Amino acid sequence: KNQVEQSPQSLIILEGKNCTLQCNYTVSPFSNLRWYKQDTGRGPVSLTIMTFSENTKSNGRYTATLDADTKQSSLHITASQLSDSASYICVAPYSGGGADGLTFGKGTHLIIQP
Amino acid sequence: NAGVTQTPKFRILKIGQSMTLQCTQDMNHNYMYWYRQDPGMGLKLIYYSVGAGITDKGEVPNGYNVSRSTTEDFPLRLELAAPSQTSVYFCASSLQPNTEAFFGQGTRLTVV
């Protein structure tokens, strides 16, 4: 069964600090890996989409990495801001899976404290 | 830039009542989806559509129905509401199944 496991489940850091969120996936065959940000009471918003050939992808202060060999991805947030408080969801669709082929992680709940 | 619009934002239903959650998108996307999100769980696919007139079941379709008469609209129908359907519902759309999905703001439904 395709799975996406995220860690930690929750994280509290001080404003200005960096943090790294982890995602392990077993989806096969691999198509791409996505990170979404979900603010409280809002829908998920895409941060990055990484294909098999991409090791690193940045979006402002967010940097995602992908290791296809170990089936791991990480999301690094630099110089955190209060607005980074949200849930971060890792999503892995599998190639050929069609429109029903998305596997969502449970998310990491990140709290930035002033 | 409207994107994906869902209505209502909140709703309380009594057991056995029915309702329709509305979803419309203005990006001319063929693919549309309905997900539910329960506390501490990943999003689960209820139904999806690959184009007007075509719908298919996802992982958790029981108790729900959908229709897709136009490219823009993808309403989700609950016929006999049950407490187990208390959840947050998200509609999403994408150009292709493997491209970025755009989500609506969600509908928080409580069945009492």
Side-chain angles (χ1 to χ4, degrees):
Chain A
K1 181 182 178 181
N2 293 318
Q3 286 188 315
V4 173
E5 301 287 342
Q6 292 189 245
S7 62
Q9 187 174 5
S10 61
L11 181 63
I12 301 173
I13 64 171
L14 293 175
E15 185 179 11
K17 298 297 186 182
N18 304 334
C19 67
T20 300
L21 315 180
Q22 301 290 344
C23 174
N24 295 337
Y25 62 93
T26 61
V27 172
S28 181
F30 179 80
S31 170
N32 58 65
L33 189 129
R34 317 173 186 191
W35 283 94
Y36 281 85
K37 179 187 180 188
Q38 185 177 19
D39 293 318
T40 301
R42 307 293 292 260
V45 175
S46 179
L47 290 175
T48 65
I49 298 178
M50 301 181 70
T51 61
F52 183 85
S53 60
E54 294 175 302
N55 299 109
T56 303
K57 199 162 191 177
S58 292
N59 178 358
R61 294 180 296 100
Y62 301 100
T63 300
T65 64
L66 176 66
D67 186 334
D69 292 331
T70 61
K71 297 189 175 182
Q72 294 180 327
S73 177
S74 65
L75 181 69
H76 186 75
I77 303 175
T78 304
S80 62
Q81 299 177 358
L82 297 178
S83 59
D84 293 330
S85 294
S87 286
Y88 292 84
I89 303 171
C90 179
V91 185
Y94 53 94
S95 181
D100 61 337
L102 286 180
T103 303
F104 287 80
K106 295 180 181 180
T108 292
H109 186 51
L110 177 64
I111 297 174
I112 310 299
Q113 287 187 337
Chain B
N1 296 334
V4 179
T5 303
Q6 288 182 238
T7 57
K9 194 161 187 179
F10 303 94
R11 185 71 187 269
I12 299 175
L13 278 183
K14 293 184 178 179
I15 295 172
Q17 286 185 322
S18 61
M19 76 164 294
T20 299
L21 282 66
Q22 301 292 344
C23 175
T24 187
Q25 52 93 7
D26 61 0
M27 296 172 283
N28 202 32
H29 286 167
N30 280 329
Y31 292 82
M32 294 189 75
Y33 319 83
W34 274 106
Y35 293 93
R36 61 177 287 171
Q37 186 177 39
D38 299 312
M41 303 298 292
L43 277 76
K44 300 291 185 185
L45 183 65
I46 304 171
Y47 269 95
Y48 66 99
S49 170
V50 302
I54 306 170
T55 63
D56 211 341
K57 296 178 180 179
E59 184 180 358
V60 290
N62 291 343
Y64 308 95
N65 275 302
V66 294
S67 60
R68 185 93 182 271
S69 57
T70 67
T71 299
E72 295 78 19
D73 300 307
F74 190 40
L76 177 72
R77 178 84 177 161
L78 283 71
E79 290 294 349
L80 291 170
S84 60
Q85 294 176 305
T86 294
S87 188
V88 181
Y89 292 84
F90 289 100
C91 179
S93 73
S94 67
L95 192 61
Q96 296 292 334
N98 279 339
T99 58
E100 179 181 356
F102 295 83
F103 287 80
Q105 292 200 6
T107 296
R108 183 175 294 275
L109 176 67
T110 302
V111 182
V112 296

